Amino acid sequence: MTILDIIRPDNPTLRKKAHRVTSFDKKFQKLVDDMIETLDDAPGVGLAAPQVAVSQRLILVRLQDDEESRKEFGEDAGKLFVLANPEIVKASKEMVEGIEGCLSIPGFVGLVDRHEKITVDGLDRNGKKIRVKASGWLARVFQHEIDHLDGRLYIDIAKDVWEPREEDEETPAE
Ligand code: NI
C-alpha cells in the first residue's frame, strides 16, 4: 500500500466534479487500499478521492474509535465506510451547526451548517448496493466528503473560518 499525497485547493482536481466509478477492478481496489492507508496516516475521519488527485466519486469515512464516539454511534464508531457514487437520498430539514476541518486545508477550521440526519445510497468497494443512515457528526462527515465529489469545500459554505489556537479542542480533519 502507498500513502498518497493530499492535494490543496491550488490543484484544480479538487475543484472539479468527479466522475462516477464504473469499474471495481484491481486498480480501483488498490486506490481504496491506498486511500485507507492515507486516511490512517493523516490521520483523518474522512477522505474523498479528489483529495488524492483522483477524479472519481469515491469516499471513505471512519470516525474516531474512542469512548465518546462509541457511546453516540455504537458499532458505527471506528467502522470504515467505503462508498462509491454516494448519493444523499434523504436529508432532515433540521440543520445543525458544527466545526469542521479539511485535510486539504491544514491549519484551519470553520463553522458549517449541515443536515442533522441523512440517508446515503451508494456502492461498496465490490460494487454492491449499500445504504447508510447517519446522524450528527457521522452525517456531517458524509456531507463534507460528498461535497468534495462536486468540487465543493467547506470554506465555500462556512459562516466563519479561523486558525485554531493550540489550546482549542482539536477538530478531526476530513
Ligand atoms: Ni475535506
Side-chain angles (χ1 to χ4, degrees):
M1 291 203 277
T2 313
I3 294 170
L4 305 167
D5 286 334
I6 296 175
I7 61 170
R8 307 284 170 90
D10 61 347
N11 185 319
T13 301
L14 202 58
R15 288 305 202 169
K16 273 188 208 150
K17 193 173 163 73
H19 301 284
R20 291 181 72 78
V21 176
T22 53
S23 173
F24 295 84
D25 58 3
K26 256 189 167 167
K27 196 178 160 201
F28 176 79
Q29 299 305 324
K30 184 174 187 324
L31 172 64
V32 173
D33 288 335
D34 288 348
M35 281 178 61
I36 293 169
E37 197 170 359
T38 305
L39 179 68
D40 287 342
D41 176 70
V45 289
L47 186 67
Q51 291 183 277
V52 293
V54 175
S55 194
Q56 288 200 42
R57 304 188 78 78
L58 168 66
I59 62 167
L60 307 186
V61 172
R62 177 148 67 190
L63 298 188
Q64 311 92 306
D65 192 10
D66 54 25
E67 207 181 318
E68 203 185 319
S69 288
R70 279 193 295 272
K71 226 187 273 169
E72 192 171 353
F73 299 107
E75 61 178 19
D76 283 345
K79 181 177 168 185
L80 174 69
F81 294 92
V82 177
L83 258 86
N85 305 335
E87 303 277 355
I88 297 173
V89 293
K90 223 173 141 186
S92 66
K93 275 199 188 125
E94 192 194 351
M95 305 294 283
V96 281
E97 206 174 63
I99 297 175
E100 295 180 19
C102 181
L103 292 171
S104 294
I105 311 167
F108 291 87
V109 294
L111 191 62
V112 185
D113 271 340
R114 299 286 189 187
H115 298 284
E116 155 66 14
K117 280 188 182 139
I118 54 166
T119 302
V120 184
D121 280 358
L123 303 171
D124 71 10
R125 64 182 295 170
N126 300 308
K128 199 175 139 244
K129 276 185 188 170
I130 44 172
R131 168 167 286 185
V132 180
K133 289 184 178 183
S135 62
W137 173 235
L138 183 61
R140 172 173 300 278
V141 179
F142 271 103
Q143 288 167 82
H144 178 114
E145 298 317 323
I146 292 169
D147 274 353
H148 271 303
L149 304 181
D150 293 320
R152 197 177 314 123
L153 301 173
Y154 84 85
I155 50 173
D156 302 337
I157 52 172
K159 293 184 210 171
D160 194 12
V161 177
W162 68 94
E163 287 180 87
R165 285 174 303 191
E166 248 175 60
E167 63 266 33
D168 290 348
E169 199 186 323
E170 212 180 308
T171 305
E174 48 194 300

